[in-house]
Amino acid sequence: MDIIFFLVMIIAIVAALEPHHRRTFSLPRAPFGADAEVDRDMERVLHDVPSGH
């Protein structure tokens, strides 16, 4: 019974502390894809891929 109690307590502590260990915990949130128009990744990919000369 003690083992079950300690396992439940450890799980509860980990669950309570987990959100505070995220790197972006205090940063503002934006909808997924909100920065798509300013993303320059496609330009980088097209620059690095040979054009077939």
Side-chain angles (χ1 to χ4, degrees):
M1 186 68 177
D2 289 338
I3 293 173
I4 294 172
F5 174 74
F6 285 118
L7 285 175
V8 169
M9 291 302 294
I10 290 171
I11 291 171
I13 290 170
V14 169
L17 294 178
E18 189 270 333
H20 297 287
H21 288 278
R22 292 186 188 144
R23 282 183 13 190
T24 59
F25 176 69
S26 63
L27 296 176
R29 302 284 188 257
F32 182 73
D35 61 346
E37 60 272 355
V38 296
D39 186 17
R40 299 194 53 206
D41 192 43
M42 186 53 74
E43 291 178 38
R44 287 186 209 104
V45 170
L46 293 176
H47 179 266
D48 292 341
V49 174
S51 60
H53 292 326

Coordinates of all heavy atoms in Angstrom, one line a residue:
M1 N 0.8 -1.2 0.0 CA 0.0 0.0 0.0 C 0.9 1.3 0.0 O 0.5 2.2 -0.6 CB -0.9 0.0 1.2 CG -1.9 1.1 1.3 SD -3.1 0.8 -0.1 CE -4.2 2.2 0.3
D2 N 2.0 1.2 0.7 CA 2.9 2.4 0.8 C 3.5 2.7 -0.6 O 3.7 3.8 -1.0 CB 4.0 2.2 1.8 CG 3.5 2.2 3.2 OD1 2.4 2.8 3.5 OD2 4.2 1.6 4.1
I3 N 3.8 1.6 -1.3 CA 4.4 1.8 -2.6 C 3.4 2.5 -3.6 O 3.8 3.4 -4.3 CB 4.9 0.4 -3.2 CG1 6.0 -0.2 -2.4 CG2 5.3 0.6 -4.7 CD1 6.4 -1.6 -2.8
I4 N 2.2 2.1 -3.5 CA 1.2 2.7 -4.4 C 1.0 4.2 -4.0 O 0.9 5.1 -4.9 CB -0.2 2.0 -4.2 CG1 0.0 0.6 -4.8 CG2 -1.3 2.7 -5.0 CD1 -1.2 -0.3 -4.6
F5 N 1.0 4.5 -2.7 CA 0.9 5.8 -2.2 C 2.0 6.7 -2.7 O 1.9 7.8 -3.2 CB 0.8 5.9 -0.7 CG 0.8 7.3 -0.1 CD1 -0.3 8.1 -0.2 CD2 2.0 7.8 0.5 CE1 -0.3 9.3 0.3 CE2 2.0 9.0 1.0 CZ 0.9 9.8 0.9
F6 N 3.3 6.2 -2.6 CA 4.4 6.9 -3.1 C 4.5 7.1 -4.6 O 4.8 8.2 -5.1 CB 5.7 6.3 -2.6 CG 6.0 6.5 -1.1 CD1 6.0 5.4 -0.3 CD2 6.1 7.8 -0.6 CE1 6.2 5.6 1.1 CE2 6.3 8.0 0.7 CZ 6.4 6.9 1.6
L7 N 4.0 6.1 -5.3 CA 3.9 6.2 -6.8 C 2.9 7.3 -7.2 O 3.2 8.1 -8.1 CB 3.6 4.9 -7.4 CG 4.7 3.9 -7.5 CD1 4.2 2.6 -8.0 CD2 5.8 4.4 -8.3
V8 N 1.8 7.3 -6.5 CA 0.8 8.3 -6.8 C 1.3 9.7 -6.4 O 1.1 10.7 -7.2 CB -0.5 8.0 -6.0 CG1 -1.5 9.2 -6.1 CG2 -1.2 6.8 -6.6
M9 N 2.0 9.9 -5.4 CA 2.6 11.2 -5.0 C 3.6 11.6 -6.0 O 3.7 12.8 -6.3 CB 3.2 11.1 -3.5 CG 2.2 10.9 -2.5 SD 0.9 12.2 -2.4 CE 1.9 13.6 -2.0
I10 N 4.5 10.7 -6.4 CA 5.5 11.1 -7.4 C 4.8 11.5 -8.7 O 5.2 12.5 -9.3 CB 6.5 9.9 -7.6 CG1 7.4 9.8 -6.4 CG2 7.4 10.2 -8.9 CD1 8.2 8.5 -6.4
I11 N 3.8 10.8 -9.2 CA 3.1 11.1 -10.4 C 2.4 12.5 -10.2 O 2.5 13.3 -11.1 CB 2.1 10.0 -10.8 CG1 2.9 8.8 -11.2 CG2 1.2 10.5 -11.9 CD1 2.0 7.6 -11.4
A12 N 1.9 12.8 -9.1 CA 1.2 14.1 -8.8 C 2.2 15.2 -8.9 O 1.9 16.3 -9.4 CB 0.4 14.0 -7.5
I13 N 3.4 15.0 -8.3 CA 4.4 16.1 -8.3 C 4.9 16.3 -9.7 O 5.0 17.5 -10.1 CB 5.5 15.7 -7.3 CG1 5.0 15.7 -5.9 CG2 6.7 16.6 -7.5 CD1 6.0 15.2 -4.9
V14 N 5.2 15.3 -10.4 CA 5.6 15.4 -11.8 C 4.6 16.1 -12.6 O 4.9 17.0 -13.4 CB 6.0 14.1 -12.4 CG1 6.2 14.2 -13.9 CG2 7.2 13.5 -11.7
A15 N 3.3 15.8 -12.5 CA 2.2 16.4 -13.2 C 2.1 17.9 -12.9 O 1.7 18.7 -13.7 CB 0.9 15.6 -13.0
A16 N 2.3 18.2 -11.6 CA 2.1 19.6 -11.2 C 3.3 20.5 -11.6 O 3.1 21.6 -11.9 CB 2.0 19.6 -9.6
L17 N 4.5 19.9 -11.7 CA 5.6 20.7 -12.1 C 5.9 20.7 -13.6 O 6.7 21.5 -14.1 CB 6.9 20.2 -11.4 CG 6.9 20.3 -9.8 CD1 8.1 19.7 -9.3 CD2 6.8 21.8 -9.5
E18 N 5.3 19.8 -14.3 CA 5.6 19.7 -15.8 C 5.4 21.0 -16.6 O 6.3 21.3 -17.4 CB 4.8 18.5 -16.4 CG 5.2 18.2 -17.8 CD 4.4 19.0 -18.8 OE1 3.3 19.4 -18.5 OE2 5.0 19.1 -19.9
P19 N 4.4 21.7 -16.4 CA 4.2 22.9 -17.2 C 5.3 24.0 -17.0 O 5.6 24.8 -17.8 CB 2.8 23.5 -16.8 CG 2.1 22.3 -16.3 CD 3.2 21.5 -15.6
H20 N 5.9 24.0 -15.8 CA 6.9 25.0 -15.5 C 8.2 24.7 -16.1 O 9.1 25.5 -16.0 CB 7.0 25.1 -14.0 CG 5.7 25.6 -13.3 ND1 5.3 26.9 -13.4 CD2 4.8 24.9 -12.6 CE1 4.1 27.0 -12.8 NE2 3.8 25.8 -12.3
H21 N 8.4 23.5 -16.7 CA 9.7 23.2 -17.2 C 9.7 23.3 -18.7 O 10.7 23.0 -19.4 CB 10.0 21.7 -16.9 CG 10.4 21.6 -15.4 ND1 11.6 21.9 -15.0 CD2 9.7 21.2 -14.3 CE1 11.7 21.7 -13.7 NE2 10.5 21.3 -13.3
R22 N 8.7 23.8 -19.3 CA 8.7 24.1 -20.8 C 9.5 25.3 -21.1 O 9.4 26.3 -20.3 CB 7.2 24.3 -21.3 CG 6.4 23.0 -21.2 CD 5.1 23.2 -21.8 NE 4.3 22.0 -21.6 CZ 3.0 22.0 -21.4 NH1 2.3 23.2 -21.4 NH2 2.3 21.0 -21.1
R23 N 10.2 25.3 -22.2 CA 11.0 26.5 -22.5 C 10.2 27.7 -22.8 O 10.6 28.8 -22.6 CB 11.8 26.1 -23.8 CG 13.0 25.3 -23.5 CD 13.8 25.0 -24.7 NE 13.5 25.9 -25.8 CZ 13.9 25.8 -27.0 NH1 14.7 24.8 -27.3 NH2 13.6 26.6 -28.0
T24 N 9.0 27.5 -23.4 CA 8.2 28.6 -23.8 C 7.0 28.9 -22.8 O 6.0 29.4 -23.2 CB 7.6 28.4 -25.2 OG1 6.8 27.2 -25.2 CG2 8.7 28.2 -26.2
F25 N 7.2 28.5 -21.6 CA 6.1 28.6 -20.6 C 5.5 30.0 -20.5 O 4.3 30.2 -20.5 CB 6.6 28.1 -19.2 CG 5.5 28.2 -18.1 CD1 4.4 27.4 -18.2 CD2 5.7 29.1 -17.1 CE1 3.4 27.5 -17.2 CE2 4.7 29.2 -16.2 CZ 3.6 28.4 -16.2
S26 N 6.4 31.0 -20.4 CA 5.9 32.3 -20.1 C 5.8 33.2 -21.4 O 5.4 34.4 -21.3 CB 6.8 33.0 -19.1 OG 8.1 33.2 -19.7
L27 N 6.1 32.6 -22.5 CA 6.0 33.4 -23.8 C 4.5 33.4 -24.3 O 3.7 32.5 -24.0 CB 6.8 32.7 -24.9 CG 8.3 32.7 -24.6 CD1 9.1 32.0 -25.7 CD2 8.9 34.1 -24.5
P28 N 4.2 34.5 -25.0 CA 2.8 34.6 -25.5 C 2.5 33.5 -26.6 O 3.5 33.1 -27.3 CB 2.7 36.0 -26.1 CG 4.1 36.4 -26.3 CD 5.0 35.7 -25.3
R29 N 1.3 33.1 -26.7 CA 1.0 32.1 -27.6 C 0.3 32.7 -28.9 O -0.4 33.7 -28.8 CB 0.0 31.1 -27.0 CG 0.5 30.4 -25.8 CD 1.5 29.3 -26.2 NE 1.9 28.5 -25.1 CZ 3.0 28.6 -24.4 NH1 3.8 29.5 -24.8 NH2 3.3 27.8 -23.4
A30 N 0.6 32.1 -30.0 CA -0.1 32.5 -31.3 C -0.7 31.3 -31.9 O -0.2 30.2 -31.7 CB 0.9 33.2 -32.2
P31 N -1.7 31.5 -32.7 CA -2.3 30.4 -33.4 C -1.3 29.7 -34.3 O -0.4 30.3 -34.8 CB -3.4 31.0 -34.3 CG -3.7 32.3 -33.7 CD -2.4 32.8 -33.0
F32 N -1.5 28.4 -34.5 CA -0.5 27.6 -35.3 C -0.6 28.2 -36.8 O -1.6 28.3 -37.4 CB -0.9 26.1 -35.3 CG 0.0 25.3 -36.1 CD1 1.3 25.0 -35.7 CD2 -0.4 24.8 -37.4 CE1 2.1 24.2 -36.4 CE2 0.5 24.0 -38.1 CZ 1.7 23.7 -37.6
G33 N 0.6 28.5 -37.3 CA 0.7 29.0 -38.6 C 0.6 30.5 -38.7 O 0.5 31.0 -39.8
A34 N 0.5 31.2 -37.6 CA 0.3 32.6 -37.6 C 1.5 33.4 -38.2 O 1.4 34.5 -38.7 CB 0.0 33.2 -36.2
D35 N 2.7 32.7 -38.2 CA 3.9 33.4 -38.7 C 4.3 32.8 -40.1 O 5.4 33.0 -40.6 CB 5.0 33.2 -37.8 CG 5.4 31.7 -37.5 OD1 4.6 30.9 -37.9 OD2 6.5 31.5 -37.0
A36 N 3.3 32.2 -40.8 CA 3.6 31.5 -42.1 C 4.1 32.6 -43.2 O 4.9 32.3 -44.0 CB 2.4 30.8 -42.6
E37 N 3.5 33.7 -43.1 CA 3.9 34.7 -44.1 C 5.2 35.3 -43.9 O 5.8 35.9 -44.8 CB 2.8 35.8 -44.3 CG 2.6 36.6 -43.0 CD 1.5 36.0 -42.1 OE1 0.9 35.0 -42.5 OE2 1.4 36.5 -41.0
V38 N 5.8 35.2 -42.7 CA 7.1 35.8 -42.5 C 8.1 34.6 -42.4 O 9.3 34.9 -42.2 CB 7.1 36.6 -41.1 CG1 6.3 37.8 -41.2 CG2 6.8 35.7 -40.0
D39 N 7.7 33.4 -42.6 CA 8.7 32.3 -42.6 C 9.4 32.3 -43.9 O 8.9 32.2 -45.0 CB 7.9 31.0 -42.4 CG 8.8 29.8 -42.2 OD1 10.0 30.0 -41.9 OD2 8.3 28.7 -42.4
R40 N 10.8 32.3 -43.8 CA 11.6 32.3 -45.0 C 12.2 30.9 -45.3 O 13.2 30.8 -46.1 CB 12.7 33.3 -44.8 CG 12.1 34.7 -44.6 CD 13.1 35.8 -44.7 NE 13.8 35.7 -46.0 CZ 15.0 36.2 -46.2 NH1 15.6 36.8 -45.2 NH2 15.6 36.0 -47.3
D41 N 11.7 29.9 -44.7 CA 12.2 28.6 -44.9 C 12.2 28.1 -46.4 O 13.1 27.5 -46.9 CB 11.5 27.6 -44.0 CG 12.3 26.2 -43.9 OD1 13.5 26.3 -43.8 OD2 11.6 25.2 -44.0
M42 N 11.1 28.4 -47.1 CA 11.0 28.0 -48.5 C 12.0 28.7 -49.3 O 12.6 28.1 -50.2 CB 9.5 28.2 -49.0 CG 9.3 27.7 -50.4 SD 9.8 25.9 -50.6 CE 8.4 25.1 -49.8
E43 N 12.3 29.9 -49.0 CA 13.3 30.6 -49.8 C 14.7 30.0 -49.6 O 15.4 29.8 -50.5 CB 13.4 32.1 -49.3 CG 12.2 32.9 -49.7 CD 12.3 34.3 -49.2 OE1 13.4 34.9 -49.3 OE2 11.3 34.9 -48.8
R44 N 14.9 29.6 -48.3 CA 16.2 28.9 -48.1 C 16.3 27.5 -48.8 O 17.4 27.2 -49.3 CB 16.4 28.7 -46.6 CG 16.6 29.9 -45.8 CD 16.9 29.6 -44.3 NE 16.5 30.7 -43.5 CZ 15.4 30.8 -42.8 NH1 14.6 29.8 -42.7 NH2 15.2 31.9 -42.1
V45 N 15.2 26.8 -48.8 CA 15.2 25.5 -49.5 C 15.4 25.7 -51.0 O 16.2 25.0 -51.6 CB 13.9 24.7 -49.2 CG1 13.8 23.5 -50.1 CG2 13.8 24.4 -47.7
L46 N 14.7 26.6 -51.6 CA 14.8 26.8 -53.0 C 16.2 27.3 -53.3 O 16.7 27.1 -54.4 CB 13.8 27.8 -53.5 CG 12.3 27.3 -53.4 CD1 11.3 28.4 -53.8 CD2 12.2 26.0 -54.3
H47 N 16.9 28.1 -52.5 CA 18.2 28.5 -52.7 C 19.2 27.4 -52.6 O 20.2 27.4 -53.4 CB 18.6 29.6 -51.6 CG 20.0 30.1 -51.8 ND1 21.0 29.6 -51.1 CD2 20.5 31.1 -52.6 CE1 22.1 30.3 -51.4 NE2 21.8 31.2 -52.3
D48 N 19.0 26.4 -51.8 CA 19.9 25.3 -51.6 C 19.8 24.2 -52.6 O 20.7 23.5 -52.9 CB 19.8 24.7 -50.2 CG 20.3 25.7 -49.1 OD1 21.0 26.7 -49.5 OD2 19.9 25.5 -47.9
V49 N 18.6 24.1 -53.1 CA 18.3 23.0 -54.1 C 18.8 23.4 -55.5 O 18.6 24.4 -55.9 CB 16.8 22.7 -54.1 CG1 16.5 21.7 -55.2 CG2 16.3 22.2 -52.8
P50 N 19.6 22.5 -56.1 CA 20.1 22.8 -57.5 C 18.9 23.0 -58.4 O 17.9 22.2 -58.3 CB 20.9 21.6 -57.8 CG 20.9 20.6 -56.7 CD 20.0 21.2 -55.6
S51 N 19.0 23.9 -59.3 CA 17.9 24.2 -60.2 C 17.9 23.3 -61.5 O 17.0 23.5 -62.3 CB 18.0 25.7 -60.7 OG 19.2 25.9 -61.3
G52 N 18.8 22.3 -61.6 CA 18.7 21.4 -62.7 C 19.5 21.9 -63.9 O 19.2 21.5 -65.0
H53 N 20.5 22.7 -63.7 CA 21.3 23.1 -64.8 C 22.1 22.0 -65.4 O 22.8 21.3 -64.9 CB 22.3 24.2 -64.4 CG 21.6 25.5 -64.0 ND1 20.5 25.9 -64.6 CD2 21.9 26.4 -63.1 CE1 20.1 27.1 -64.1 NE2 20.9 27.4 -63.2

